[in-house]
């Protein structure tokens, strides 16, 4: 498994501003992912963070709105840009290694409220 | 395409009675299946996983699930519910052959345990 931390744990932001969320893992991992969990909903994959190259985004998510960085094998950031109240959600990062056979471990999440 | 249907959005049981959370999946190839639990205001925790080995999978905290290919089901059970089991449970499918490590989450089942 892996120990994953996220910063901030929660934030309240004004519409039109941007927030960068950090995800740190205690060991090197092959893959890192970002998910969104809207209020009362399940998790939806935003993108796969690729080390050294552009992230791979899922349908409905674009780089201009959710830019992602992954400078090394233990760290990634997700920025929520030009926020609106619809962006109020919990944002979670997860990690995986090839030998885990598809298993992913999740960070504690960042609870974002946009006013 | 891969998808997951959790048949009950809410399940209520009395403490000490059995728990059954139902999950059906759709996958083109040989899926990996997982159950995750999310306690209020906490992160996701992996309960158990099926990855083409034994069809009856045992997880943490006394939970187990049985993979039934003929029924495309992966129901989660526990013989005796405990108050601490109250949480939201997610059934998750991953078809690594076709989709790499992408996880698809079900809508979730909220388990309530009555004293």
């Amino acid at each position: 498994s892996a120990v994953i931390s996220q910063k901030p744990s929660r934030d309240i932001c004004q519409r039109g501003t941007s927030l960068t969320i950090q995800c740190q893992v205690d060991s090197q991992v092959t893959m890192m992912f970002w998910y969104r969990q809207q209020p009362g909903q399940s998790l939806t994959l935003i993108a796969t963070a690729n080390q050294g190259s552009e992230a791979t985004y899922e349908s409905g998510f674009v780089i201009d709105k959710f830019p992602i960085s992954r400078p090394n094998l233990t760290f990634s950031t997700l920025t929520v840009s030009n926020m609106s109240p619809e962006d109020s959600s919990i944002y979670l990062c997860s990690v995986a290694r090839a030998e885990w056979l598809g298993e992913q471990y999740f960070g504690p999440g960042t609870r974002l409220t946009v006013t | 395409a891969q998808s997951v249907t959790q048949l009950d959005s809410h399940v209520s049981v009395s403490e000490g009675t059995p728990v059954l959370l139902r999950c059906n999946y759709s996958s083109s190839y040989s899926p990996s299946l997982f159950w995750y639990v999310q306690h209020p205001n906490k992160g996701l925790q992996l309960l158990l996983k099926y990855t083409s080995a034994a069809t009856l999978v045992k997880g943490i905290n006394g939970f187990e699930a049985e993979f039934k290919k003929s029924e495309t089901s992966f129901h989660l059970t526990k013989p005796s519910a405990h108050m601490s089991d109250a949480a939201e449970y997610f059934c998750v499918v991953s078809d690594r052959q076709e989709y790499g490590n992408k996880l698809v989450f079900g809508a979730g089942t909220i388990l309530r345990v009555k004293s």
Side-chain angles (χ1 to χ4, degrees):
Chain A
S1 65
V3 177
I4 306 150
S5 60
Q6 286 186 234
K7 289 182 182 178
S9 58
R10 58 179 61 222
D11 206 342
I12 301 173
C13 301
Q14 293 195 341
R15 69 172 67 211
T17 62
S18 298
L19 176 73
T20 296
I21 302 167
Q22 298 179 2
C23 178
Q24 179 75 54
V25 194
D26 68 340
S27 58
Q28 293 185 346
V29 291
T30 317
M31 289 156 281
M32 297 182 78
F33 306 89
W34 287 98
Y35 290 82
R36 180 175 72 181
Q37 186 176 24
Q38 294 176 297
Q41 308 258 336
S42 185
L43 277 77
T44 302
L45 179 65
I46 297 172
T48 302
N50 300 309
Q51 195 258 330
S53 64
E54 199 170 277
T56 305
Y57 289 85
E58 297 301 304
S59 175
F61 297 97
V62 295
I63 188 171
D64 290 346
K65 176 66 175 178
F66 297 103
I68 288 171
S69 79
R70 189 176 172 195
N72 57 51
L73 294 177
T74 62
F75 186 78
S76 177
T77 66
L78 168 76
T79 299
V80 186
S81 304
N82 188 24
M83 288 184 283
S84 67
E86 292 71 38
D87 294 320
S88 298
S89 297
I90 299 173
Y91 292 87
L92 300 101
C93 70
S94 72
V95 302
R97 292 197 189 116
E99 61 266 31
W100 291 349
L101 302 179
E103 192 173 314
Q104 292 183 20
Y105 290 92
F106 286 80
T110 295
R111 184 180 295 270
L112 171 62
T113 302
V114 183
T115 60
Chain B
Q2 50 183 1
S3 65
V4 174
T5 302
Q6 292 185 241
L7 298 166
D8 307 291
S9 59
H10 293 78
V11 170
S12 183
V13 301
S14 297
E15 190 174 21
T17 65
V19 175
L20 171 64
L21 305 183
R22 299 182 295 165
C23 171
N24 286 109
Y25 70 91
S26 172
S27 177
S28 300
Y29 297 98
S30 298
S32 296
L33 292 156
F34 309 86
W35 278 97
Y36 284 84
V37 60
Q38 187 175 39
H39 287 91
N41 299 313
K42 295 204 173 173
L44 283 159
Q45 181 182 22
L46 179 66
L47 271 182
L48 50 80
K49 67 178 180 181
Y50 165 79
T51 55
S52 78
T55 56
L56 181 62
V57 181
K58 294 187 185 299
I60 61 172
N61 300 333
F63 284 95
E64 62 182 40
E66 186 171 8
F67 173 72
K68 292 187 177 181
K69 187 174 182 178
S70 61
E71 300 176 9
T72 60
S73 69
F74 190 59
H75 301 335
L76 182 70
T77 60
K78 183 174 180 177
S80 175
H82 190 272
M83 295 298 290
S84 61
D85 294 328
E88 188 163 17
Y89 293 78
F90 293 97
C91 183
V92 181
V93 65
S94 173
D95 193 332
R96 291 186 305 121
Q97 181 172 346
E98 188 171 9
Y99 297 103
N101 282 275
K102 187 183 300 186
L103 298 184
V104 174
F105 281 72
T109 298
I110 294 173
L111 175 65
R112 180 183 169 218
V113 182
K114 299 175 289 185
S115 59

